[in-house]
Amino acid sequence: FPVTIRKSGGGRVKRVSVFVPGLPVAQPRSRAVSFGGHARMYNPGTANEWKACVIHALQEHAGTFPKDIPLRCDLTFYFPRPAGHYGTGKNAGKLKASAPTRPTGKPDRDNLDKAVCDAITAARVWHDDSQATDGRIRKRYNEVFGCTNKTGWR
């Protein structure tokens, strides 16, 4: 899949807009294990492949946004519809009237946001995800799944 990148703002980049194809994966919570009588924290690596896709899509924008500038980060996550949303038999492929219009189940949107923001930080597009002071997080169904990331300042 091609990565779509739009830059606007004349000489200085005010906004970077990128579509990252793939199935979005939420950042898992840290886990604790006991080893030799000591508690040890670790992060399960279940989001690593997704985060690598985001980093790859954004790596050419390293250093785009200076440190200490407040940024807006709008994220829209696109998911495939479950098979149960469609009819069977002669109605195969037709969306059921009872199918929800938007995904309301897992993954949680705050954990989706955390995975992408961590990846933006790792790609060094911004200094730290604490710079994101505003933004919108949305989950939608779509035939092409992935994430649209629009980051910039006003």
Side-chain angles (χ1 to χ4, degrees), residues 98-150:
S98 61
T101 57
R102 296 193 178 142
T104 57
K106 299 278 184 184
D108 296 345
R109 63 187 207 129
D110 60 325
N111 294 331
L112 290 164
D113 174 65
K114 183 64 178 155
V116 171
C117 288
D118 286 352
I120 295 170
T121 302
R124 297 186 176 164
V125 174
W126 57 30
H127 179 73
D128 189 73
D129 57 358
S130 63
Q131 288 178 258
T133 61
D134 193 11
R136 188 173 181 182
I137 308 164
R138 298 181 290 187
K139 297 191 315 183
R140 300 289 187 263
Y141 287 123
N142 199 15
E143 290 180 16
V144 177
F145 36 96
C147 175
T148 300
N149 171 5
K150 295 178 182 178

Side-chain angles (χ1 to χ4, degrees), residues 63-110:
T64 297
F65 300 111
K67 185 178 179 179
D68 299 329
I69 289 182
L71 298 171
R72 176 181 179 97
C73 183
D74 294 322
L75 301 172
T76 304
F77 296 93
Y78 299 99
F79 293 93
R81 283 188 173 274
H85 286 198
Y86 297 97
T88 57
K90 68 177 183 175
N91 293 316
K94 292 183 184 177
L95 193 61
K96 292 179 181 178
S98 61
T101 57
R102 296 193 178 142
T104 57
K106 299 278 184 184
D108 296 345
R109 63 187 207 129
D110 60 325

Side-chain angles (χ1 to χ4, degrees), residues 7 13-16 60-66 124-126 153:
K7 291 184 179 182
V13 175
K14 284 185 73 176
R15 186 178 75 181
V16 173
E60 72 180 77
H61 301 289
T64 297
F65 300 111
R124 297 186 176 164
V125 174
W126 57 30
W153 72 84

